[in-house]
Amino acid sequence: MKKKEKEKNQKQLTNKLMKSHQRITELEKSGTNKKLQEEYFKFKQDEEFLRGSEEQFRILVEMSIDAIFLETTEGCILECNAAGAKMFGYNKEEMIGLTISDLVPEEFAKKLPRIITEKETTHGIFMSRTSKKKDGTIFPTEIASKLVNIRGKPRLIAYIRDINERKKNEKLQGVLYNISKAANSDVSLNQLYPLIHRELNKIIDATNFHISLSNKNKSFFSYYSDEKDELSQIHKSGTTDNLAAYISRYGKSILVNHKQITEMASQKKIKLSQMGTLTNDVLLLGVPLKMEGDVIGSMAVLSYTNPNLYNKKDIKLMEFVSEQVATAIQRKQMEEEMEKLAHFDSLTGACNRGYGLGLLSRELKFARRRKTLFLLVYIDIDDFKNINDTFGHGEGDQVLKKVVKLLKSTLRDIDIICRMGGDEFLLIFPESSLNDAPLIRERLNKNLEKLNQTLNKSYNIGFSIGISCYNPDHPQSIDELISIADENMYKEKKKKSK
């Protein structure tokens, strides 16, 4: 029975082919029926055009760097181009039969049916979508899709673009903008460093992050955030033998692992003793900080556990960011230098008179509001005029510097040193009372004795001290407080002259 049906079908097909051939022959030989000739040539032209257009279309689809899918309305992939397969980490054969649910994270896959039924129309849609590669890697994409009719069946054409690089660039631009914005704000240099760290961590793993600034061939760490090491005293005081100093010295970026660091040490380019903790999996990426071709320091990121965390692309990224970082740091350095000139005595580093009195006024307001006490100590260097006249003003300047250094080593961080003029200084001790005065005197005199023992001069440095105290129960003005301290200082000086 089957054999007879097969023979019947073959006979019908043969008859159909013969009739078609006969019709074509008639059209080709017809010289009188112009209409048939025109019909035939139009048919042949249309056929060639369509075949050519289809071929060109397929070439364009395959040449596209973006993914192009033909899908059922249920999201099953019927065809895809080479770029689409590559984008998702499959080959073309593997892609056929997959559904869109296979190409997105699980949480997004649950929403797909609703998205398709509610949004997918003949006008098409455009949306951002998180996609998933064969190996599970998640990456951002944009998708444009449209419902079309192909051979009487509804189909979806999806055009997908990987926007991972664009997102990275947008994030990078955001980081650069935030660093620049901070550089132009009123944050201090010390506040800028952690901000740079936070911003950099948005575009690269900066769990361990260091910024060092160079001065006279030494590198000083100005910011140090590390999960293994704390900033050691040797790094605070500067070094010429670690990787930060190496980067600053040669002005070149480095990406080095444990083996390469060891080799650099064996070549005496660095000293391992200056490197801190080193693990077998350590990887350091460091770039110079440059301003108009001059290296002002370096910045580095570091991993102790992943020797493959950073690559050559990350070097370019860090170098790009380093330009903005260097500009921001130098701007803040200039601002702080200008502030020093405006607020601090250029010779000794103590507050100048105007700035010191401003701080005293602020302390007075705090004390009034908080009902607390504070001390004022007025100091005058004994026989300072004689030192200047005998040994010269250069020697006098050295004495002033030594006195301020002594005061800084004696006072607390919250205490204030103000040079009122010449050899006179005003010291402000917040939240201190007359009960603290004997201890303050004792410490000052003890440190002064030590200083004179190391001077090796034909003179000794001495000073006279006067003290006043602000009491919120009996409030006084700044002028009154300074006048009392000054008067007490001269009383002490007169006693010494007798």
Side-chain angles (χ1 to χ4, degrees):
M1 186 71 179
K2 289 183 178 180
K3 186 176 180 181
K4 288 182 179 180
E5 286 182 2
K6 186 176 181 180
E7 289 176 349
K8 183 180 179 183
N9 289 338
Q10 285 179 343
K11 188 175 181 180
Q12 288 176 346
L13 182 58
T14 302
N15 289 335
K16 190 174 181 181
L17 288 171
M18 288 179 66
K19 286 180 180 179
S20 297
H21 180 70
Q22 184 178 358
R23 175 62 176 161
I24 290 172
T25 302
E26 288 174 359
L27 287 171
E28 286 176 338
K29 291 182 178 180
S30 174
T32 56
N33 194 333
K34 190 174 181 181
K35 186 176 181 181
L36 285 176
Q37 276 189 322
E38 291 174 353
E39 180 186 336
Y40 169 72
F41 286 122
K42 187 176 184 303
F43 168 76
K44 294 290 284 184
Q45 288 173 355
D46 288 346
E47 182 184 34
E48 289 172 4
F49 174 77
L50 289 170
R51 288 184 183 276
S53 297
E54 182 180 2
E55 184 64 24
Q56 290 176 29
F57 177 74
R58 288 188 177 277
I59 290 172
L60 287 173
V61 167
E62 286 303 320
M63 287 178 63
S64 173
I65 60 173
D66 298 307
I68 300 175
F69 294 165
L70 180 65
E71 309 162 8
T72 65
T73 52
E74 291 77 23
C76 180
I77 298 172
L78 301 174
E79 290 185 35
C80 81
N81 63 347
K86 183 179 179 181
M87 182 183 294
F88 287 89
Y90 296 87
N91 59 48
K92 289 183 69 172
E93 290 72 20
E94 290 175 322
M95 290 293 292
I96 306 305
L98 293 180
T99 65
I100 296 301
S101 298
D102 297 316
L103 305 180
V104 296
E106 184 178 352
E107 62 272 16
F108 190 84
K110 296 175 182 178
K111 304 175 185 178
L112 277 175
R114 180 183 60 81
I115 291 173
I116 292 172
T117 54
E118 292 180 6
K119 293 185 176 180
E120 210 72 76
T121 69
T122 53
H123 298 293
I125 64 165
F126 180 83
M127 61 183 290
S128 297
R129 189 180 79 186
T130 302
S131 295
K132 181 183 71 174
K133 295 180 184 287
K134 182 180 180 180
D135 63 5
T137 302
I138 305 300
F139 64 107
T141 54
E142 285 178 345
I143 177 169
S145 62
K146 186 175 183 180
L147 191 66
V148 296
N149 191 293
I150 298 178
R151 300 186 186 93
K153 293 183 179 181
R155 294 286 185 254
L156 288 171
I157 293 181
Y159 185 92
I160 303 173
R161 173 165 291 175
D162 183 344
I163 57 171
N164 194 39
E165 286 302 317
R166 192 179 82 194
K167 288 289 184 183
K168 285 182 180 179
N169 288 334
E170 289 174 355
K171 194 176 289 187
L172 174 60
Q173 292 303 318
V175 166
L176 295 177
Y177 172 77
N178 289 337
I179 293 174
S180 176
K181 184 179 177 182
N184 289 281
S185 70
D186 58 357
V187 301
S188 67
L189 183 57
N190 286 334
Q191 290 172 322
L192 178 67
Y193 290 134
L195 185 146
I196 291 171
H197 186 190
R198 289 195 301 271
E199 289 299 317
L200 191 64
N201 209 31
K202 294 177 181 179
I203 54 176
I204 194 171
D205 189 324
T207 303
N208 303 292
F209 177 61
H210 314 148
I211 291 180
S212 70
L213 299 180
S214 56
N215 183 24
K216 296 180 180 178
N217 296 322
K218 278 192 173 185
S219 284
F220 303 82
F221 282 101
S222 51
Y223 182 79
Y224 196 90
S225 179
D226 196 285
E227 59 189 342
K228 293 280 187 183
D229 294 325
E230 293 183 359
L231 189 60
S232 66
Q233 186 58 43
I234 194 165
H235 288 138
K236 288 179 182 177
S237 59
T239 178
T240 60
D241 300 316
N242 62 4
L243 286 174
Y246 179 88
I247 295 167
S248 296
R249 184 159 57 247
Y250 294 101
K252 293 182 179 180
S253 302
I254 60 172
L255 178 61
V256 289
N257 56 28
H258 184 270
K259 181 181 178 182
Q260 291 165 321
I261 292 171
T262 306
E263 287 176 356
M264 290 177 72
S266 67
Q267 296 166 2
K268 297 185 178 180
K269 295 178 178 178
I270 59 172
K271 289 182 180 178
L272 291 180
S273 60
Q274 306 298 313
M275 286 300 301
T277 300
L278 290 176
T279 64
N280 290 331
D281 293 325
V282 70
L283 183 69
L284 183 140
L285 193 171
V287 297
L289 296 174
K290 295 181 179 180
M291 276 300 300
E292 298 178 354
D294 294 328
V295 179
I296 65 169
S298 68
M299 70 176 186
V301 288
L302 173 70
S303 172
Y304 290 104
T305 58
N306 187 350
N308 302 307
L309 183 60
Y310 310 119
N311 54 43
K312 290 183 179 180
K313 285 186 178 180
D314 294 320
I315 295 176
K316 295 296 182 185
L317 176 67
M318 286 280 284
E319 287 176 341
F320 191 67
V321 176
S322 71
E323 296 179 16
Q324 190 68 57
V325 171
T327 301
I329 289 174
Q330 190 168 74
R331 182 182 183 90
K332 287 301 171 185
Q333 286 177 325
M334 291 175 65
E335 287 179 1
E336 291 191 354
E337 191 62 33
M338 293 295 290
E339 184 178 359
K340 282 183 180 180
L341 292 173
H343 295 160
F344 297 91
D345 174 49
S346 59
L347 176 64
T348 65
C351 298
N352 59 31
R353 182 186 180 94
Y355 185 51
L357 291 177
L359 294 176
L360 177 57
S361 176
R362 187 178 67 178
E363 183 58 37
L364 182 64
K365 291 177 182 177
F366 285 164
R368 282 175 179 167
R369 187 166 63 246
R370 295 176 300 190
K371 301 294 182 183
T372 58
L373 293 82
F374 69 85
L375 281 181
L376 283 188
V377 175
Y378 209 100
I379 288 180
D380 181 88
I381 299 175
D382 297 333
D383 296 323
F384 183 72
K385 183 178 183 301
N386 184 51
I387 294 173
N388 270 337
D389 292 343
T390 305
F391 302 98
H393 288 278
E395 187 71 16
D397 288 347
Q398 293 303 313
V399 169
L400 291 171
K401 289 180 181 180
K402 285 182 173 65
V403 168
V404 171
K405 187 177 180 181
L406 179 151
L407 295 175
K408 287 182 177 179
S409 66
T410 307
L411 274 59
R412 304 168 300 177
D413 289 340
I414 62 171
D415 300 331
I416 299 165
I417 305 169
C418 170
R419 185 182 179 191
M420 297 296 283
D423 60 333
E424 296 181 348
F425 295 88
L426 182 67
L427 311 182
I428 306 169
F429 294 84
E431 298 182 4
S432 299
S433 68
L434 289 173
N435 293 331
D436 301 307
L439 181 59
I440 292 172
R441 278 183 175 275
E442 181 184 344
R443 287 178 176 173
L444 286 171
N445 289 328
K446 186 177 180 180
N447 287 341
L448 181 59
E449 185 179 346
K450 288 181 181 179
L451 173 61
N452 283 319
Q453 289 173 355
T454 61
L455 272 183
N456 193 25
K457 300 285 185 179
S458 59
Y459 62 86
N460 283 333
I461 298 175
F463 43 66
S464 300
I465 296 174
I467 297 175
S468 66
C469 179
Y470 174 79
N471 188 336
D473 295 331
H474 306 285
Q476 293 168 300
S477 68
I478 289 176
D479 290 341
E480 288 172 327
L481 290 168
I482 293 176
S483 178
I484 293 170
D486 187 39
E487 184 178 340
N488 289 334
M489 181 269 293
Y490 274 104
K491 286 180 180 178
E492 183 172 293
K493 191 175 283 290
K494 284 182 180 179
K495 286 182 182 180
K496 288 181 181 180
S497 62
K498 289 181 180 179

